[in-house]
Amino acid sequence: MTYVLLVLFGGLSGMTTVLFGFGGGFVVVPVLYGVLKSGAEGGLAEQAAMHVAVATSTCVMIVNAALSTRRSARAGTLLTVWLWPLSGFIGVGSLLGALAAGDVSGTVLRVAFVVYLAITIADCLFRRGFIVPMTDGKPRSPHRWGTGSGGIVIGAIATFLGVGGSVMTVPLLRRRGLSMTQATAMANPLSLPVALVGTAVYMLAGDPGATGLGAGYVGYVDLIAFAVLTVGAWFGMWLAARWVGRIPDQRHARVYIGLLVLVLLSMLVR
């Protein structure tokens, strides 16, 4: 039953990756955290469960983001002016965030995840420019803050929480005049530095003896959960591809916020 659940939510993560630019962290972290905490053999302690959930979701993100980026590149929805040097600064921030995450408790990670979600939802709802774009449809070029210190902040927070950074890059791109289809497509290649750097650090976090997790793990990454989630994600991305570009822009933005609210509620009730 656990594997069926992971396949289903892996599929959901694949769909949200394609349609909304997120799915690895915001879908996988709450589900995998719950599964690990309530395992058949007593489950993992809270600290270990949250670290494994974040690390494994970051690993799943590599596959999701890479496949979705390939699809977007073929469709011509990627704007190369935004990819570099922003992705480079995100990669630097990712290293800092992954290193910091290993030094805090699972409880702190969970609280940070919830607070981050709440702030993001409020920002999208109450600050102009997300639901209704403020521009005339012509995207504005990235500014210096967005490609420098802003990229480092995005990478650090995203890797620390295992969420890929899309929940920061999508609002950022949206307020620069991009449509939801463009913004969500761009979120995936910008999530790749987070996924690659974060996974490498979490895998090197320690051997099974050091982490106390046993066989089936590389550092904090649960290999079986990764494989099952990835299979589901591939199928979900295949299903979602037919809807890309067909959702009205403002409805797309509202559904994006609604999904964030559902994830926030799922974390609050655990």
Side-chain angles (χ1 to χ4, degrees):
M1 183 62 185
T2 296
Y3 293 141
V4 173
L5 183 67
L6 291 180
V7 167
L8 290 175
F9 278 92
L12 180 59
S13 79
M15 294 179 70
T16 56
T17 296
V18 170
L19 295 176
F20 301 99
F22 69 79
F26 286 108
V27 175
V28 172
V29 168
V31 173
L32 191 53
Y33 173 78
V35 167
L36 293 169
K37 281 278 290 178
S38 58
E41 298 179 1
L44 298 177
E46 181 169 357
Q47 177 167 346
M50 193 62 188
H51 277 89
V52 170
V54 170
T56 305
S57 79
T58 305
C59 196
V60 172
M61 199 188 307
I62 295 177
V63 179
N64 286 7
L67 291 177
S68 188
T69 296
R70 182 184 180 191
R71 191 207 64 78
S72 297
R74 288 180 171 180
T77 54
L78 298 182
L79 302 178
T80 55
V81 68
W82 281 94
L83 292 180
W84 185 261
L86 182 57
S87 58
F89 286 109
I90 289 176
V92 173
S94 299
L95 179 59
L96 299 176
L99 293 173
D103 294 328
V104 300
S105 69
T107 301
V108 171
L109 277 180
R110 182 169 178 268
V111 171
F113 191 91
V114 169
V115 171
Y116 175 60
L117 269 176
I119 292 173
T120 299
I121 292 167
D123 179 71
C124 290
L125 284 173
F126 301 116
R127 192 155 69 100
R128 292 181 57 200
F130 185 81
I131 295 179
V132 180
M134 292 187 297
T135 67
D136 58 2
K138 297 179 181 179
R140 291 174 289 160
S141 300
H143 50 63
R144 187 169 298 178
W145 185 91
T147 57
S149 57
I152 294 175
V153 171
I154 289 172
I157 294 177
T159 312
F160 185 81
L161 301 178
V163 296
S166 60
V167 79
M168 284 182 285
T169 56
V170 169
L172 170 66
L173 297 171
R174 180 73 166 159
R175 291 191 172 94
R176 300 301 291 179
L178 274 66
S179 68
M180 280 298 294
T181 298
Q182 291 173 316
T184 53
M186 290 292 296
N188 287 302
L190 292 175
S191 293
L192 275 173
V194 174
L196 292 168
V197 173
T199 297
V201 173
Y202 289 128
M203 282 185 167
L204 295 173
D207 56 36
T211 61
L213 296 173
Y217 291 84
V218 176
Y220 283 106
V221 176
D222 185 330
L223 296 179
I224 296 176
F226 163 75
V228 175
L229 287 162
T230 299
V231 170
W234 180 86
F235 184 67
M237 285 187 280
W238 176 76
L239 287 176
R242 67 193 68 185
W243 294 101
V244 174
R246 297 185 179 183
I247 305 173
D249 191 68
Q250 291 187 33
R251 182 181 301 171
H252 199 167
R254 290 189 177 98
V255 174
Y256 180 94
I257 297 171
L259 289 173
L260 295 186
V261 171
L262 288 177
V263 175
L264 175 62
L265 293 175
S266 73
M267 290 299 288
L268 290 174
V269 299
R270 293 195 180 281

